[in-house]
Amino acid sequence: MSNRAVVVLDTPASQPVTARTTWLSDAAADRLFYWVVAGSAFFVLIALGAAALSMAWGGRLAFQTFGWRFFYGTEWDPVTRQFAAFVPIYGTIITSLISMIIAVPISLGIAVFLTEVAPRWMRGPVGTAIELLAGIPSIIYGMWGLFTFVPFMSDHVQPWLIDHIGPLPIIGPLFDGAPMGIGMLTAGIILGIMVIPFITAVMRDVFLVVPPALKESAYALGSTKWEVVKDVVIPYTRTAVVGGIFLGLGRALGETMAVTFVLGNAHNLSISLMEPGNSIAAAIANEFTEADSDIYLSSLIALGFVLFIVTFIVLAVAKLMLQRVARQKGE
Amino acid sequence: MTTAESLHRRRQIVSVAALSLATLATVFGLVWLVWILGTTFFQGLGALNVKLFTEMTPPPGQSGGLLNAFFGSFVMVLMAVVIGSPIGIAAGTFLAEYARGSRLGEVIRFVNDILLSAPSIVIGLFIYELVVRQAGHFSAYAGGFALAFILLPVVVRTTDEMLRLVPDVMREAALSLGIPRWKMINHVLYRAAKAGILTGVLLAIARISGETAPLLFTALNNQYWTSSLAEPMANIPVVIFQYAMSPYDAWHTLAWAGAFVMTLFVLALSIISRTILNPRKSDNA
């Protein structure tokens, strides 16, 4: 009996020790792991703050030199070193506005189609195809815009707009000028196409979670399909729909490469949507490597800071709205 | 009776019209997809040849390829993955495992989602201030950092989501065996969520492969071959930008070829990762 026990005890001792000789106890390893993952998570938090701070710091020279004039002045002259950002800010707002005018109804239509109209077998493939629009790199939009869409606009669309809408009293001046193809209208349309998939994805996802009982009750009362969409589905999902639109707006405001190609990079303010214009992102992309003085560079970084703050606010609003819906759903 | 009937008919007509408009909107969206992809593929296929992968970017008026740009893009994307994905996976782990339901977790998730949609040009400026200005010159590693910052939120988000999909039973089973938490996460959770996390990285690669704006101020461009990370390095997106904006036809052709290869790569990657991510969703959504 005792002999056997010795044998059993002997076996592990005769081999190299396999027992754990870790240099770290389990508790210490756990703490270390915790601090590694927590540190990484804080890194994400810090990254956002650092981005904002570094741009505020880089742009301080411009803010100090030009003060509030930086926001409402219109001159942008590298030679006399006078920089004021109204033209790019205006361009960003107008192009984003045009993109929203196009993207919101189209996305709504696509979302309704995908959830109510299309036969079931069609929903997956069509939905994926629309999502692919979001996968195309933005520089491809820009290049396609420059080589294909700009000539199309100047040959077919803009002459018609100039002839038919140009003479109208109030909105006429918007469509005044020569059909050059480039300009804010073209940029706005391309932006609109780019943000369609983002808005569509949000709308489709929230349309799908409308409780069937609500829709069925409306059908039972004799509603048509459109009335169900208009009076049940959209009111029920309104907050999320607006959140999705803001998400798209945030994308449109900051989009760079697609608009850089087709805006024309001109620092003059014009009412017409067909004149070359500028946007914050396009101005930075075009001029950054050419900036030859500190104040020039600082002004461009200050523009970046403005863009960052604006998109941050828009995206935060979007996120809060979508979160509220998620919470209502009980997630 | 007749007024009721005409009202009914009117409502039917309005409904059919509205739904037809919705269908038209979908057709409208698909037309752009076909148009853009069609142009890129048509122009790109015509510009493809072997030289593309064997020769350097040419000066104006000469022929050449995009070898140095492909190499540069590869290097910078690789750097971004090596730097960004461990941090992203760790941060996602924190959100899913340690900060569930906590206010801090909510804040980080919120900030991460904003970073996810933040304009990439802003990230470029940030890295310019942080790295390029301090170092005094443009460099490939600055480009890699910029791309890492764009990759990061995508990986954080997918890791967070994928880990939360792992059933709690698995965590409890592992912990009840006396396995320390970090081992449970490393050997049980990561293994269970492997496909999902990998997909997140693939999606992020698809996203950063086409990013142009942040590279303009960090890696810039280089007409020549370089393998030094401290020098400006050519990369596909910036070369496409520069060549497409140029007045030379030969450069336009090269730009289309580069655009074609890049688009093919990016779309293939995003389709593959989507099919791994949710094979079921494509049927019923």
Side-chain angles (χ1 to χ4, degrees):
Chain A
M1 183 69 196
S2 66
N3 201 13
R4 246 170 112 192
V6 169
V7 171
V8 171
L9 282 176
D10 254 6
T11 325
S14 62
Q15 290 171 354
V17 179
T18 51
R20 301 187 334 184
T21 53
T22 44
W23 54 278
L24 215 57
S25 74
D26 281 342
D30 251 355
R31 269 200 303 278
L32 183 70
F33 187 77
Y34 175 81
W35 286 114
V36 168
V37 295
S40 303
F42 277 111
F43 182 78
V44 173
L45 207 57
I46 294 165
L48 192 83
L53 276 182
S54 73
M55 272 179 292
W57 180 251
R60 75 193 184 285
L61 185 61
F63 289 130
Q64 276 165 9
T65 314
F66 305 118
W68 290 106
R69 247 197 94 68
F70 187 73
F71 296 99
Y72 61 81
T74 54
E75 70 279 354
W76 184 273
D77 191 347
V79 180
T80 58
R81 301 199 173 160
Q82 285 300 311
F83 299 99
F86 186 71
V87 173
I89 292 173
Y90 174 78
T92 297
I93 294 171
I94 296 297
T95 49
S96 302
L97 209 63
I98 298 172
S99 76
M100 286 298 115
I101 292 172
I102 294 166
V104 170
I106 296 293
S107 306
L108 187 66
I110 298 176
V112 169
F113 177 82
L114 287 176
T115 53
E116 305 290 338
V117 184
R120 207 154 269 281
W121 58 268
M122 215 184 196
R123 295 181 184 181
V126 173
T128 310
I130 295 295
E131 279 172 18
L132 274 191
L133 271 177
I136 300 174
S138 64
I139 190 164
I140 303 295
Y141 279 93
M143 215 177 146
W144 167 82
L146 181 66
F147 289 115
T148 309
F149 194 54
V150 163
F152 175 79
M153 287 291 285
S154 69
D155 291 348
H156 302 291
V157 179
Q158 291 187 343
W160 187 89
L161 288 175
I162 292 166
D163 289 348
H164 293 82
I165 304 187
L168 295 181
I170 296 163
I171 57 166
L174 289 175
F175 299 95
D176 199 22
M180 281 186 286
I182 57 173
M184 294 207 261
L185 182 65
T186 310
I189 294 173
I190 293 178
L191 274 183
I193 303 163
M194 292 189 71
V195 299
I196 284 173
F198 295 101
I199 305 181
T200 303
V202 173
M203 287 186 179
R204 183 190 67 182
D205 288 352
V206 295
F207 285 1
L208 283 173
V209 299
V210 175
L214 283 183
K215 283 156 68 176
E216 282 157 13
S217 316
Y219 282 127
L221 291 174
S223 300
T224 60
K225 224 169 192 177
W226 168 243
E227 285 163 353
V228 171
V229 171
K230 176 170 65 91
D231 298 328
V232 178
V233 174
I234 293 179
Y236 186 81
T237 56
R238 193 170 41 213
T239 319
V241 165
V242 176
I245 293 171
F246 269 77
L247 201 67
L249 180 61
R251 291 269 175 180
L253 287 169
E255 180 44 51
T256 311
M257 297 323 290
V259 295
T260 304
F261 276 95
V262 297
L263 261 177
N265 196 33
H267 277 284
N268 47 10
L269 195 62
S270 75
I271 305 280
S272 171
L273 300 178
M274 298 190 194
E275 296 286 331
N278 218 331
S279 83
I280 296 178
I284 301 172
N286 267 318
E287 300 175 33
F288 199 80
T289 45
E290 298 164 7
D292 48 6
S293 58
D294 282 345
I295 186 75
Y296 195 174
L297 199 61
S298 179
S299 301
L300 288 169
I301 295 176
L303 271 183
F305 182 69
V306 172
L307 180 65
F308 182 80
I309 298 298
V310 172
T311 46
F312 181 88
I313 293 170
V314 169
L315 290 172
V317 169
K319 192 73 192 96
L320 287 174
M321 286 181 138
L322 292 173
Q323 246 173 18
R324 217 168 80 192
V325 176
R327 218 166 278 147
Q328 277 171 358
K329 262 186 344 197
E331 275 184 1
Chain B
M1 187 65 190
T2 44
T3 49
E5 242 170 34
S6 77
L7 181 65
H8 177 71
R9 171 162 298 169
R10 226 184 56 128
R11 286 170 52 209
Q12 290 294 342
I13 290 172
V14 167
S15 178
V16 168
L19 297 180
S20 309
L21 281 178
T23 313
L24 274 181
T26 311
V27 173
F28 179 84
L30 293 176
V31 163
W32 296 108
L33 179 75
V34 171
W35 194 3
I36 294 171
L37 288 184
T39 309
T40 310
F41 288 162
F42 183 71
Q43 298 272 10
L45 272 180
L48 274 187
N49 59 44
V50 188
K51 273 187 178 171
L52 208 59
F53 304 102
T54 56
E55 289 187 17
M56 305 296 153
T57 47
Q62 291 178 27
S63 73
L66 295 169
L67 178 62
N68 48 347
F70 280 121
F71 174 74
S73 275
F74 173 76
V75 168
M76 280 182 263
V77 169
L78 189 69
M79 272 180 71
V81 172
V82 169
I83 300 168
S85 47
I87 301 178
I89 292 173
T93 309
F94 178 79
L95 292 180
E97 297 303 311
Y98 293 96
R100 232 189 265 193
S102 78
R103 175 140 293 194
L104 177 69
E106 286 292 304
V107 170
I108 293 175
R109 212 167 271 143
F110 185 83
V111 164
N112 188 65
D113 278 357
I114 286 182
L115 270 181
L116 196 68
S117 318
S120 57
I121 192 165
V122 164
I123 304 290
L125 287 178
F126 169 42
I127 299 297
Y128 174 85
E129 282 289 312
L130 201 70
V131 180
V132 179
R133 186 172 272 190
Q134 308 305 326
H137 56 86
F138 297 99
S139 58
Y141 59 77
F145 284 149
L147 294 183
F149 269 99
I150 296 165
L151 170 131
L152 183 68
V154 184
V155 177
V156 172
R157 180 154 190 188
T158 32
T159 307
D160 179 21
E161 280 174 357
M162 290 303 135
L163 286 179
R164 277 190 294 166
L165 284 181
V166 178
D168 278 340
V169 184
M170 292 180 76
R171 293 183 180 85
E172 286 154 10
L175 289 175
S176 69
L177 292 174
I179 299 175
R181 202 168 179 183
W182 69 274
K183 261 192 184 162
M184 179 273 285
I185 291 170
N186 274 298
H187 295 288
V188 179
L189 294 190
Y190 284 164
R191 227 167 258 190
K194 195 167 55 185
I197 295 174
L198 182 74
T199 310
V201 176
L202 287 182
L203 269 179
I205 294 175
R207 169 116 193 254
I208 61 175
S209 302
E211 278 295 349
T212 317
L215 294 177
L216 283 173
F217 329 126
T218 50
L220 203 63
N221 198 354
N222 192 337
Q223 205 190 323
Y224 306 102
W225 173 273
T226 177
S227 54
S228 159
L229 293 182
E231 286 174 37
M233 195 181 257
N235 55 83
I236 290 292
V238 174
V239 167
I240 293 176
F241 179 52
Q242 195 193 347
Y243 281 16
M245 293 292 242
S246 78
Y248 312 109
D249 276 344
W251 277 15
H252 290 171
T253 313
L254 268 181
W256 278 118
F260 171 74
V261 175
M262 186 172 88
T263 310
L264 210 60
F265 176 75
V266 168
L267 289 186
L269 213 54
S270 62
I271 291 175
I272 290 170
S273 44
R274 255 172 238 277
T275 43
I276 306 177
L277 198 61
N278 41 12
R280 271 162 291 113
K281 200 183 166 191
S282 52
D283 302 334
N284 53 22

